[in-house]
Amino acid sequence: MNHSRSNAGAPREPDLPPYQVVLSETDWGSLETPFGNGGSIPEVLTRLLTRDPGVQVNALSELGEMVGHQNTIYEATAPAAMYVAGILTHPAATTPRPYRNVPVRAALLNWLASTAYDASDEIVGRTEQYFPGFLAPGTIVASFRDLRPMLYRAVSPFLRDSHEDVREAAVVAALILAEHPALAEHRDRLAVYARAILDAGEDEPNRRVARKALEAWGHEAPAPEPFVTKPWGWGPHSDGRGDLEPPF
């Protein structure tokens, strides 16, 4: 994998291949999904580029089931995530959600955050206790985790987005992706964004991601709020796939 360098000589994360290349050059039919092969995935991915937010968000939710059913990383998960990350700058990502005036880009980032969380240090560390070798080089999960620097490069431009929902979704995704050792140099900067979520954010799962990142990176983190019993999802977003569902 080619790691290019910036003009200042500092390491730079590798670029994603264009989403069109991911779509056309991936042998989707040969990739495992929870429901067989991934032959039908390209049609779902293409729907993400319509300018109808209802179609887009439903396609994203459908994609989550096809490549992340029961919070599992499948062979088709990696190229699907590369495609979603690759369209973050596409004009279709700016389509506003009716009634909420939130760009669909926030839902795309939330999807990436939730998918990355399924391969996070917390989740895979817990799994390895019961399945030694789960993270051996070349395994499906290990290969997906190798993509984190590339996905981070696609997410990081939105850390200072003008829209609050997009900005917070990008921060949560970046915090999870930055567990990769190659991204350690970004952690001090990301700690500032993590503290902002803890200071002003109201989404408790997002706050949990921010707090755990600060603790893992040796930064002081405020004590968690007193526990309040409420429904809890499996990932960084309380409904399991973040900002993905109707109403529209």
Side-chain angles (χ1 to χ4, degrees):
M1 185 175 291
N2 179 34
H3 291 255
S4 56
R5 293 182 178 270
S6 69
N7 293 335
R12 192 183 77 170
E13 288 69 51
D15 290 322
L16 281 167
Y19 69 89
Q20 302 97 324
V21 172
V22 175
L23 186 69
S24 63
E25 296 190 3
T26 300
D27 184 4
W28 298 98
S30 71
L31 300 180
E32 173 203 19
T33 77
F35 308 109
N37 67 53
S40 61
I41 292 177
E43 185 275 330
V44 177
L45 294 175
T46 301
R47 281 192 271 130
L48 294 174
L49 298 183
T50 67
R51 296 306 293 261
D52 182 330
V55 172
Q56 289 173 292
V57 176
N58 284 333
L60 195 56
S61 182
E62 185 177 343
L63 180 66
E65 277 298 297
M66 297 176 78
V67 304
H69 182 67
Q70 294 184 343
N71 322 125
T72 301
I73 302 295
Y74 296 89
E75 288 180 337
T77 308
M82 292 169 66
Y83 182 94
V84 172
I87 65 172
L88 288 173
T89 57
H90 192 281
T94 65
T95 306
R97 297 278 299 279
Y99 310 115
R100 304 187 64 183
N101 197 29
V102 176
V104 166
R105 181 178 287 136
L108 297 173
L109 287 162
N110 278 333
W111 187 92
L112 286 170
S114 292
T115 303
Y117 181 80
D118 291 340
S120 66
D121 290 353
E122 176 184 2
I123 297 301
V124 300
R126 190 183 307 158
T127 305
E128 269 226 310
Q129 295 178 11
Y130 302 98
F131 300 98
F134 179 70
L135 273 182
T139 59
I140 293 173
V141 174
S143 297
F144 178 85
R145 283 163 60 86
D146 287 343
L147 293 178
R148 288 177 292 176
M150 187 182 291
L151 297 176
Y152 179 88
R153 182 163 173 78
V155 166
S156 60
F158 302 100
L159 293 172
R160 301 182 66 181
D161 194 85
S162 60
H163 197 288
E164 180 181 358
D165 293 73
V166 173
R167 188 167 62 248
E168 182 163 332
V171 170
V172 172
L175 291 173
I176 298 169
L177 294 168
E179 293 177 342
H180 193 287
L183 299 173
E185 65 179 296
H186 299 288
R187 292 173 185 169
D188 285 345
R189 181 169 72 106
L190 289 173
V192 176
Y193 296 113
R195 290 193 186 95
I197 288 180
L198 291 173
D199 288 342
E202 297 182 355
D203 186 294
E204 185 54 37
N206 286 355
R207 289 169 56 84
R208 178 178 179 270
V209 170
R211 184 179 298 108
K212 288 182 72 68
L214 290 175
E215 292 171 348
W217 300 342
H219 291 266
E220 184 176 350
E225 299 292 330
F227 179 77
V228 177
T229 302
K230 59 175 64 177
W232 177 254
W234 47 266
H237 307 291
S238 58
D239 64 355
R241 283 289 166 188
D243 183 25
L244 301 182
E245 301 299 331
F248 297 105

